[in-house]
Structure formats: structure tokens, C-alpha cells
Amino acid sequence: MSAETIQRIAQEVRSCTLCGLAAGRTCAVPGEGPADAKIVLIGEGPGYHEDRQGRPFVGASGQLLDDLLSMAGLARADVFIANVVKCRPPNNRDPQPDEVATCTEAYLFRQIAAIDPPVIVTLGRFSMGLFLPGERITRIHGQPRTVGGRLIVPMMHPAAALHQPQNRPLIEADFRRLPAILARAEAEHAVARTPPAPPTPTADRPLEQLSMF
Ligand code: URA
């Protein structure tokens, strides 16, 4: 069911003309990964290589992302990788607020609802801003927060580690903590989605009396 929804959203993204970014793209980049992934990673938007191939994080940032995932004991095939905007902004400029609003409402938030992951890893300030507005990535990176029943883990964008090598130990340390964060999130997520247990009979409240509940 959610796999079909993810496929349908991907088709919609590939033919999307909802904002001006559509005019400049080679390929839209819907995102990819299993529809039942426990972790969704959200980058900013496609770059040059992603725009050419229609796949997320296939350039230099993607190579580093693969390395970071393996430090967390994960492979790319274990996670769903998406972006805030699905089309490349011209010359890699920042996505504009109206582009972010249009694209996330139309696609990203529906992808998240379909996958329903216990953990979302935001990569960089644009995806962090969707869940933790007003925060500074330098202050809160690696610190999970519960938002809407999920753990949001704000991480630096891999490109920040490529451009400023002093960031690399920080982002590596944050990824190495992901397995423990996932274990905590899965427990909390299961509790949040478990309906309350029906009342059980006790000596002073026999079963018949419970029927009124
Ligand atoms: N950077 C991003 O934010 N997303 C990609 O898909 C590639 C690079």
C-alpha cells in the first residue's frame, strides 16, 4: 500500500510543473528507498549530478553520505533519501520559501506520511527548518527532538563537511549515534501507535462491570 503511494508520488514529481524550478530541470528527483524504511533522510535539493540522473545524492555529497551511513551500520538500501525540493535550483542557489512550501506540501510531507518512519534525519538547515524552525544547526546538530511522534535528528549537510573539513568529525560522530537513536525511536513510535489495552477484569471489577467501558 505505502509502496504504491510512494510510486504514485514519484510519478507526480517527474511531471510536476507546480513551481518555476520545473522549467530549468533535466530530471526531477523524487527520492528513493524502501517504502517501509525506518529512517528518512532529507537533503536540500538536487545538484548537478542528481538533476542529470534523477536520483538523490549521487555526486560528491552522496559519496560521503554513503560513507556516513556505513559508519552507522547502514546501507543506502536501508533508508529513504529525499530532498526538500525535487528540482535543481538554478546554479545551486538556495530554494526560495515559495518553492519550499509548494514542493513540501505537494510531495515531501506525503512521502513522510506514507513511509511513517520513526526517525527523520535532516541534512542541513533547509530540511531542519521544516521541523525545527528558528534553530541553528551548529547548536543542535546530532540532538534528536520528538516532533509529531517521530525523532527528528538534525545533522549537518554532508557538503558542509566537504567544504569545511573541520566539520567532518562532528558529522561522523552524529551518524555513529544513529543506531542508538533508532532503537529509542522505534520503542517510542511503537508505544505511540499502540491502541490502549482494553480494561482487564480484576477481583473487585469483574468482567460484566467492564462492559460499560
Ligand atoms: N545535496 C542535496 O541536498 N541533495 C541531493 O540530492 C544532492 C546533494
Side-chain angles (χ1 to χ4, degrees):
M1 174 59 184
S2 65
E4 280 167 32
T5 306
I6 290 297
Q7 286 300 328
R8 185 161 7 98
I9 295 169
Q11 289 303 336
E12 291 174 34
V13 168
R14 289 191 188 100
S15 58
C16 178
T17 55
L18 288 178
C19 83
L21 295 181
R25 73 173 178 236
T26 312
C27 300
V29 182
E32 62 188 29
D36 59 353
K38 300 280 183 254
I39 301 178
V40 170
L41 294 106
I42 307 173
E44 180 177 318
Y48 175 84
H49 295 284
E50 292 78 19
D51 174 71
R52 294 269 142 169
Q53 296 184 38
R55 298 185 56 214
F57 282 97
V58 289
S61 297
Q63 180 60 60
L64 176 54
L65 183 60
D66 287 346
D67 293 346
L68 293 165
L69 285 169
S70 80
M71 288 174 200
L74 294 163
R76 185 177 269 255
D78 299 325
V79 297
F80 193 93
I81 304 179
N83 278 304
V84 172
V85 292
K86 311 298 193 191
C87 296
R88 183 187 183 208
N91 303 315
N92 294 341
R93 69 154 166 76
D94 288 349
Q96 302 299 295
D98 59 321
E99 294 160 354
V100 170
T102 302
C103 202
T104 52
E105 286 300 326
Y107 306 120
L108 180 67
F109 294 152
R110 286 168 61 211
Q111 290 175 314
I112 292 169
I115 298 167
D116 191 22
V119 171
I120 292 177
V121 174
T122 61
L123 300 170
R125 65 196 165 99
F126 284 94
S127 56
M128 180 185 70
L130 299 176
F131 305 95
L132 302 167
E135 293 287 0
R136 296 190 74 81
I137 188 74
T138 44
R139 206 176 68 77
I140 65 162
H141 68 87
Q143 299 170 27
R145 303 266 179 93
T146 303
V147 178
R150 311 179 201 289
L151 278 187
I152 306 296
V153 193
M155 304 260 202
M156 275 179 240
H157 195 287
L162 289 176
H163 296 141
Q164 293 161 302
Q166 73 272 21
N167 286 325
R168 184 114 178 198
L170 301 180
I171 196 169
E172 289 186 5
D174 288 348
F175 267 83
R176 286 185 205 280
R177 282 198 292 272
L178 253 187
I181 291 170
L182 178 60
R184 173 183 147 196
E186 285 194 281
E188 290 180 6
H189 204 62
V191 169
R193 273 152 182 71
T194 306
T200 46
T202 58
D204 51 325
R205 285 201 317 168
L207 196 53
E208 309 85 72
Q209 285 183 20
L210 292 172
S211 61
M212 70 179 76
F213 290 93

